[in-house]
Amino acid sequence: MDLIVQRIKQAFFLITTLDAEVLGITLLSLKISGTATLISLLIGVSTGTVVALTRFPGRKFVVSLINTGMGLPPVVVGLFVTIFLWRNGPLGFLEILYTPTAIIVAQTIIATPIVTGISLAAMQQLPQNLRLQILALGANRLQMIWMLIREARLPLLAAVMAGFGGVISEVGASIMVGGNIKGYSRVLTTATVMETSRGNFDIAIALSIILLLLAYLITLILTHIQQRERPR
């Protein structure tokens, strides 16, 4: 028990003194997961909106693929991204395997179906005659889409939370495509796994606390925005 208390004290010391290694890992994690979430939002919201507002052959199949993708195992993503980025793979010429860029690619693939699925559901829940009402007021198609997105902004904020939460806490794909290289491609989750395996529980606990705090703070901010904009 004394060992646990001592390790926790050391973990808080590392956090409060802004340990260089812990701080670097944290900032890199925010950069990677933030970039992946932003890209997934651009792709996911637009894709979900298009699928929700259009009718085309095979639409049900596409929707089922999107819903399936929401539960896509990260290790499967890591496997195929590694194969594609391998030196002899189709995209090996890019030479980005075991780099932060590769982690962004993997995390974007993980987050995009989540954001797309929630966006699709959010747009489908809007009244069907709302589009006709907006067009009747003189809006063009792009303006109509923008207004529909604004109407669905509350559930779309949930998509942001789900997408970010899915990638900031992901570990399997990040290790596989990033290589967990110290000072270069090591993020909060992969560093926690590495330090735990080495018995460096103080650093592992510090990283875990930061990971939990980041997930909570981001969710708290987005939830505050979501609830503030909720109709009374």
Side-chain angles (χ1 to χ4, degrees), residues 81-93 97-98 176:
V81 171
T82 300
I83 292 173
F84 272 83
L85 297 181
W86 198 256
R87 64 176 66 90
N88 296 325
L91 301 178
F93 65 92
L97 187 60
Y98 303 136
M176 295 174 72

Side-chain angles (χ1 to χ4, degrees), residues 45-93:
V45 172
S46 58
T47 302
T49 300
V50 170
V51 174
L53 299 181
T54 56
R55 297 293 182 269
F56 54 88
R59 181 177 180 275
K60 290 184 179 180
F61 176 72
V62 172
V63 173
S64 67
L65 283 180
I66 293 172
N67 292 334
T68 301
M70 294 179 70
L72 194 62
V75 290
V76 174
V77 175
L79 170 63
F80 282 95
V81 171
T82 300
I83 292 173
F84 272 83
L85 297 181
W86 198 256
R87 64 176 66 90
N88 296 325
L91 301 178
F93 65 92

Side-chain angles (χ1 to χ4, degrees), residues 122-123 126 146-161 222 225-226 228-231:
M123 299 303 291
L126 295 176
W146 174 246
M147 294 182 69
L148 291 176
I149 291 175
R150 285 181 56 84
E151 283 295 318
R153 64 187 180 276
L154 297 185
L156 289 179
L157 282 172
V160 179
M161 288 185 274
L222 293 175
I225 296 172
Q226 185 186 55
R228 185 182 61 186
E229 295 189 6
R230 186 179 62 183

